[in-house]
């Protein structure tokens, strides 16, 4: 008997589907969130005042994604305009101990986190008598524990309510497909509750595609990917030393394994952002021997959100970078440009970015036999340069 063909399980990503995903800046009060927001967005939104709850309503801004590939394509095609990709970032009000029970701005804060798809979590690692710390002293590990606990407690509340709804169905008994499915779901939800009570986050576990579909329907706070931003004094950032860094790494490895830790100095980034030109910023970086980590943080967040890029070059107009979710097929990628392109999709002409740069022109790619025609089942890859052919004259 020939061996049975293995059916590859369809990959289902944690979180909401879609391309226009959002990230939020989260942390206790007065740890540098709003100043970081102003630096990364280069805009005067946010409120970095020196008192708790300076930010009430979340501020929103779009941040351009750094893209050397887009710059290269613009030079190759000689287009007069380039349109970059962007990510959306929210500055969310500071959390306090007891937020899960509604203390401070707790309910509003947690609702704002629930509305974003990934988190920049900021903790402060420097003393400053002029900047109040809501807990009375600087202890970033304690701050991480407070935030983790508040998010987990709220998720436990969500999960227990979800489980109650499931049990109302399973208690009916019987052998129906719905009852069987709900019994399996109850086991999963109880597993989620147990790991949350054990101090773990949903995002850092291994789940099957079927389990992810259930988790996504619950909109859990701890299912959102996180990047940990360690706000150092400018002096510690430049010398790359701080007593808290090993302790923070140990905590993240234990309770948020696999997530990224990025040390930065918000005051240094703010100073760079206030310089008028890129040349001035580059000169300052050269003088102090350190570079901005903001471009890295933007690309890391896109990766955390499973977002990738494809490129188009319109005739005599622009070169553009488009954002899609990993795993997106060609018709849906065309739909990001215009819904009519998705509805009347015929095929896509695809060139790999590296092939195009190596060949030097589209004509050379075609001559080398590397211009591909792909149909509706083609899964777009990061860096694809694409032209879509659609019906009714749409191209």
């Amino acid at each position: 008997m020939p061996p049975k063909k293995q059916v590859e399980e369809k990959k289902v990503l944690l979180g909401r589907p879609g391309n226009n995903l959002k990230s939020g800046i989260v942390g206790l009060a007065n740890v540098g969130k709003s100043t970081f927001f102003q630096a990364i967005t280069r805009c005067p939104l946010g409120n970095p005042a020196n008192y708790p709850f300076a930010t009430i309503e979340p501020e929103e801004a779009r941040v351009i994604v750094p893209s050397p590939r887009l710059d290269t394509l613009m030079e190759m095609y000689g287009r007069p305009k380039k349109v970059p990709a962007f990510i959306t970032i929210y500055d969310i009000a500071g959390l306090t101990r007891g937020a899960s029970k509604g203390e401070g701005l707790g309910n509003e804060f947690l609702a704002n986190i629930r509305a974003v798809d990934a988190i920049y979590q900021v903790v402060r690692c420097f003393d400053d008598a002029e900047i109040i710390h809501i807990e009375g002293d600087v202890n970033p590990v304690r701050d991480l524990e407070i935030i983790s606990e508040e998010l987990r407690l709220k998720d436990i509340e969500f999960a227990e309510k979800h489980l109650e709804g499931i049990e109302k169905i399973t208690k009916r008994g019987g052998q129906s497909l719905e009852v069987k499915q709900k019994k399996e779901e109850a086991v999963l939800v109880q597993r989620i509750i147990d790991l949350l009570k054990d101090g773990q986050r949903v995002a850092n576990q291994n789940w099957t595609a079927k389990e992810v579909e259930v988790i996504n329907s619950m909109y859990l706070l701890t299912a959102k990917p996180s990047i940990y931003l360690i706000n150092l004094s400018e002096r510690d950032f430049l010398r790359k030393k701080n007593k808290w860094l090993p302790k923070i790494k140990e905590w993240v490895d234990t309770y948020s394994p696999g997530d990224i830790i990025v040390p930065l100095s918000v005051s240094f980034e703010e100073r760079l952002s206030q310089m008028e030109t890129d040349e001035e910023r580059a000169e300052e970086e050269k003088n102090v021997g350190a570079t901005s980590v903001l471009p890295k943080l933007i690309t890391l967040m896109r990766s955390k959100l499973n977002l990738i890029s494809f490129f188009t070059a319109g005739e005599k107009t622009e070169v553009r970078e488009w954002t899609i979710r990993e795993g997106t097929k060609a018709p849906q990628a065309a739909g990001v440009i215009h819904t009519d392109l998705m509805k009347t999709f015929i095929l896509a002409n695809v060139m790999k970015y590296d092939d195009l740069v190596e060949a030097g022109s589209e004509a050379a790619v075609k001559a080398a036999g590397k211009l591909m025609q792909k149909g509706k089942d083609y899964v777009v890859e990061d860096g694809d340069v694409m032209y879509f052919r659609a019906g009714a004259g749409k191209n």
Side-chain angles (χ1 to χ4, degrees):
M1 292 286 291
K4 288 185 178 180
K5 184 178 180 181
Q6 293 290 324
V7 178
E8 186 177 348
E9 185 178 39
K10 180 183 177 183
K11 184 178 181 182
V12 181
L13 300 174
L14 272 175
R16 283 180 280 250
N19 310 310
N20 298 318
L21 303 181
K22 308 167 187 175
S23 56
I25 303 171
V26 172
L28 299 187
N30 293 350
V31 296
K33 302 185 307 301
S34 292
T35 307
F36 168 68
F37 176 81
Q38 291 184 349
I40 199 168
T41 60
R42 293 189 184 180
C43 71
L45 297 175
N47 189 349
N50 181 24
Y51 53 87
F53 313 130
T55 301
I56 305 296
E57 295 295 330
E59 302 279 8
E60 172 189 359
R62 288 181 171 184
V63 179
I64 291 174
V65 175
S67 181
R69 294 183 301 185
L70 184 63
D71 296 336
T72 299
L73 291 174
M74 185 179 180
E75 291 178 10
M76 285 186 62
Y77 282 94
R79 298 293 189 260
K81 179 183 177 183
K82 66 177 180 180
V83 182
F86 64 85
I87 62 171
T88 302
I89 298 179
Y90 284 83
D91 178 24
I92 297 174
L95 177 143
T96 59
R97 195 190 296 271
S100 60
K101 298 176 183 177
E103 295 183 20
L105 295 172
N107 291 329
E108 187 172 352
F109 169 88
L110 295 169
N112 290 333
I113 294 182
R114 209 172 192 197
V116 301
D117 302 283
I119 296 168
Y120 288 114
Q121 186 165 319
V122 183
V123 292
R124 173 179 153 193
C125 290
F126 63 90
D127 291 301
D128 189 328
E130 296 183 1
I131 302 177
I132 302 163
H133 194 290
I134 197 166
E135 288 291 317
D137 64 337
V138 172
N139 184 330
V141 174
R142 175 206 57 212
D143 295 353
L144 287 169
E145 290 172 347
I146 290 172
I147 296 170
S148 173
E149 181 178 18
E150 297 304 326
L151 299 187
R152 286 187 297 102
L153 286 174
K154 202 64 182 179
D155 274 358
I156 290 170
E157 180 185 326
F158 291 150
E160 288 179 340
K161 286 181 179 178
H162 190 80
L163 185 59
E164 288 176 9
I166 294 170
E167 289 176 341
K168 288 179 181 178
I169 297 173
T170 59
K171 285 178 181 177
R172 298 174 192 165
Q175 300 297 319
S176 70
L177 179 60
E178 181 189 22
V179 170
K180 181 182 177 182
Q181 290 174 337
K182 289 300 181 181
K183 284 181 178 179
E184 293 175 354
E185 187 174 336
V187 172
L188 170 62
V189 175
Q190 186 59 58
R191 178 183 161 198
I192 291 170
I193 293 169
D194 292 341
L195 75 87
L196 289 168
K197 289 181 177 179
D198 195 38
Q200 299 297 313
R201 286 168 26 88
V202 172
N204 303 95
Q205 314 301 315
N206 292 319
W207 306 103
T208 66
K210 191 174 181 181
E211 289 170 339
V212 168
E213 289 179 351
V214 174
I215 293 168
N216 285 346
S217 72
M218 297 171 68
Y219 300 106
L220 298 174
L221 302 173
T222 63
K224 302 178 187 298
S226 292
I227 297 173
Y228 293 89
L229 305 184
I230 314 306
N231 187 11
L232 307 174
S233 68
E234 192 165 331
R235 175 176 176 271
D236 284 356
F237 176 69
L238 296 178
R239 69 192 186 111
K240 297 179 173 60
K241 287 185 180 181
N242 182 279
K243 67 179 181 180
W244 290 108
L245 290 175
K247 297 175 183 178
I248 291 170
K249 184 179 186 307
E250 181 181 356
W251 187 92
V252 172
D253 287 347
T254 302
Y255 297 106
S256 197
D259 279 331
I260 300 168
I261 302 169
V262 181
L264 80 162
S265 168
V266 170
S267 63
F268 174 68
E269 299 292 355
E270 180 189 30
R271 187 156 58 81
L272 287 182
S273 71
Q274 292 173 348
M275 296 180 180
E276 293 185 359
T277 67
D278 290 337
E279 289 75 16
E280 287 178 332
R281 284 187 282 273
E283 184 63 27
E284 179 62 17
E285 290 175 335
K286 182 179 177 181
N287 290 338
V288 300
T291 58
S292 171
V293 301
L294 299 185
K296 174 183 177 181
L297 291 177
I298 295 168
T299 54
L300 281 174
M301 181 54 74
R302 278 190 108 220
S303 177
K304 278 285 187 180
L305 289 167
N306 293 294
L307 297 174
I308 61 173
S309 297
F310 72 91
F311 300 89
T312 59
E315 291 186 12
K316 300 179 182 180
T317 55
E318 65 184 27
V319 175
R320 185 159 184 160
E321 182 169 359
W322 302 88
T323 299
I324 55 172
R325 200 99 188 268
E326 181 185 335
T328 299
K329 292 186 177 181
Q332 287 68 45
V336 174
I337 300 172
H338 197 288
T339 54
D340 284 347
L341 287 176
M342 179 175 66
K343 293 175 183 176
T344 60
F345 176 90
I346 297 173
L347 60 83
N349 289 328
V350 182
M351 295 175 287
K352 299 302 176 185
Y353 170 82
D354 289 341
D355 291 343
L356 178 58
V357 172
E358 182 181 350
S361 69
E362 288 186 11
V365 172
K366 188 174 182 179
K370 293 183 177 180
L371 176 64
M372 300 171 286
Q373 290 191 335
K374 298 292 184 178
K376 294 182 178 180
D377 291 331
Y378 176 68
V379 177
V380 179
E381 296 181 356
D382 186 47
D384 281 352
V385 182
M386 307 183 74
Y387 291 91
F388 297 99
R389 187 178 301 170
K394 299 288 185 181
N395 286 285

